[in-house]
Amino acid sequence: MEIAALKVLVAGLITWIHVTGDIPIPKDRPDVNFVTHAELERSICHKSCEVLGFSPDDGGAVIYLDQSLDIEHNVCQRSILVHEIVHFMQHRDKSWDKETPVVRSHWREVEALRLQNAYLAQFGRKIFLGPGYAAIGIGYPYC
């Protein structure tokens, strides 16, 4: 996907998330970096895992996605970007910051999964949920 098209997609998804999830639109936009699956595993899990995207909670403006994802043509894979943009917007809005880290993480994930599922519902799809996570232990694609 070309950079300009990706920026338009991200801006549109931010607007959709704001309207659907009532999360304030942030002043900035995240960059989306596509990296190898091995790089995601090393950075996020520190071992072999099923991670496909990550939005660091470090105040930065970068979302990392597995380079194998075809977010332009595959709605299920694009929904991973939706999920990570929700987390980016939550970080900017400081959603649940007054909670303990465990509670904050839980509610942020619940909201991201809810909005990811709402996005997919527009296309007649849904994510399969495990105990608190999407796509645990099931084959890819997961929706």
Side-chain angles (χ1 to χ4, degrees):
M1 177 175 252
E2 292 186 25
I3 293 173
L6 181 58
K7 288 183 182 287
V8 169
L9 174 61
V10 168
L13 292 175
I14 286 172
T15 300
W16 182 88
I17 292 164
H18 168 68
V19 170
T20 306
D22 200 31
I23 303 173
I25 294 177
K27 293 178 182 174
D28 60 341
R29 302 288 179 268
D31 290 322
V32 178
N33 289 354
F34 291 90
V35 298
T36 66
H37 187 75
E39 189 173 343
L40 279 174
E41 287 179 330
R42 273 193 309 277
S43 299
I44 310 318
C45 307
H46 310 292
K47 62 179 182 174
S48 179
C49 65
E50 298 177 6
V51 65
L52 294 171
F54 180 66
S55 179
D57 192 8
D58 62 3
V62 178
I63 290 172
Y64 298 93
L65 293 180
D66 191 304
Q67 69 184 14
S68 70
L69 297 177
D70 182 5
I71 63 171
E72 186 174 5
H73 300 105
N74 185 310
V75 69
C76 293
Q77 294 175 14
R78 187 178 325 118
S79 78
I80 295 166
L81 176 59
V82 170
H83 184 104
E84 297 308 328
I85 292 173
V86 170
H87 286 317
F88 171 82
M89 292 172 69
Q90 291 168 334
H91 297 156
R92 292 301 190 262
D93 185 46
K94 302 189 181 317
S95 301
W96 297 285
D97 268 9
K98 294 180 181 178
E99 302 294 340
T100 65
V102 170
V103 170
R104 176 176 53 245
S105 177
H106 169 77
W107 287 115
R108 284 180 176 175
E109 190 64 16
V110 166
E111 182 176 48
L113 289 169
R114 180 182 63 79
L115 288 168
Q116 183 179 7
N117 242 346
Y119 180 78
L120 286 167
Q122 299 174 114
F123 303 94
R125 307 299 294 266
K126 65 181 178 179
I127 51 177
F128 299 100
L129 300 175
Y133 298 96
I136 295 296
I138 64 174
Y140 182 77
Y142 59 92
C143 80

